[in-house]
Every structure is written in C-alpha cells, then in structure tokens.
Amino acid sequence: MPIEVNGKTIETDEEGYLANLNDWEPAVAEVMAKEDGTELTENHWEVINFLREYYEEYQIAPAVRVLTKAIGKKLGKDKGNSKYLYELFPYGPAKQACKYAGLPKPTGCV
C-alpha cells in the first residue's frame, strides 16, 4: 500500500510500515498520522525522534516495555509510563510510534 508524500509515492508493507527505511522524512509521519486520524504534537515528535535515535544506536525497534523504560530515563517518569504513551499512540506505543518514525515493526509486536 503506497502512500503519497510531497508528490512522491512511497512503498509500504501490508501493515503500513515503510518498505525502505531511507524513504522516511517528517512528512511521512504526518501523512501516516493523518490516515489514522491523529495530529502530531510536540509530544508525539519527542517520542518519534527518541525512537529514531534509539534505532540508530541499537539497530532495533524497542518493544513497548523497553520503550517505556528508556523514555522514562531520558524524558522523565511522567512520560515514561504506559498511560502517557497510549494516550499519544492508542494503537500501541511501540507499534504505532515506530511506524510513524519510519522504523520496522518492533519484535514481539503482533
């Protein structure tokens, strides 16, 4: 299922994750979020950017428990909890945020 971003067609897999991680740009996240009926706020971008940095360092997309713990360490306990992350990403913080960040689906996510 390709998506249209700034006049370019970008390939995604059947679940909407990017086929090529190098196709990601912030506008990709905006288009994906809009398709889900979500408007990205500064808080969303904080998590998306965190995930991109995490992936760059570890070459893996974190599962939700690892994500929650890592965000708590970096951004504080008020943001490093499931309730906060599910409010931002109701379809699953790891799954939905990784998709918007242009990363592969986290291991262990169904």
Side-chain angles (χ1 to χ4, degrees), residues 17 51 61-62 67 92-106:
Y17 292 85
L51 279 167
L67 172 65
K95 234 167 102 165
Q96 191 177 18
C98 281
K99 184 171 132 181
Y100 293 174
L103 304 178
K105 186 175 175 181

Side-chain angles (χ1 to χ4, degrees), residues 13 27-28 30 35 41-42 45 51 64 68-69 86 88 97:
D13 68 13
V28 168
E30 298 283 356
E35 286 179 357
T41 65
E42 196 176 306
W45 282 110
L51 279 167
V64 71
T68 303
K69 199 178 253 186
Y86 271 98
L88 291 176

Side-chain angles (χ1 to χ4, degrees), residues 2 6 9 23 25 27 29-30 32-33 42-43 58-59 76 82 85-86 93-94 98 107 109:
N6 294 333
T9 300
D23 285 340
E25 59 183 271
E30 298 283 356
M32 289 177 167
E42 196 176 306
N43 291 335
Y58 299 105
Q59 300 300 301
S82 295
L85 293 172
Y86 271 98
C98 281
T107 50
C109 281

Side-chain angles (χ1 to χ4, degrees), residues 1-20 23-36 99-100 102:
M1 287 181 45
I3 58 173
E4 283 291 317
V5 179
N6 294 333
K8 289 187 294 193
T9 300
I10 296 177
E11 290 300 318
T12 62
D13 68 13
E14 65 279 350
E15 292 185 75
Y17 292 85
L18 291 184
N20 179 354
D23 285 340
W24 189 86
E25 59 183 271
V28 168
E30 298 283 356
V31 168
M32 289 177 167
K34 192 171 281 179
E35 286 179 357
D36 288 342
K99 184 171 132 181
Y100 293 174

Side-chain angles (χ1 to χ4, degrees), residues 61-100:
V64 71
R65 287 176 65 172
V66 175
L67 172 65
T68 303
K69 199 178 253 186
I71 285 201
K73 269 188 190 163
K74 183 163 184 185
L75 304 177
K77 287 214 182 299
D78 57 326
K79 294 182 178 182
N81 67 72
S82 295
K83 184 179 184 301
Y84 173 79
L85 293 172
Y86 271 98
E87 283 172 9
L88 291 176
F89 301 100
Y91 298 113
K95 234 167 102 165
Q96 191 177 18
C98 281
K99 184 171 132 181
Y100 293 174

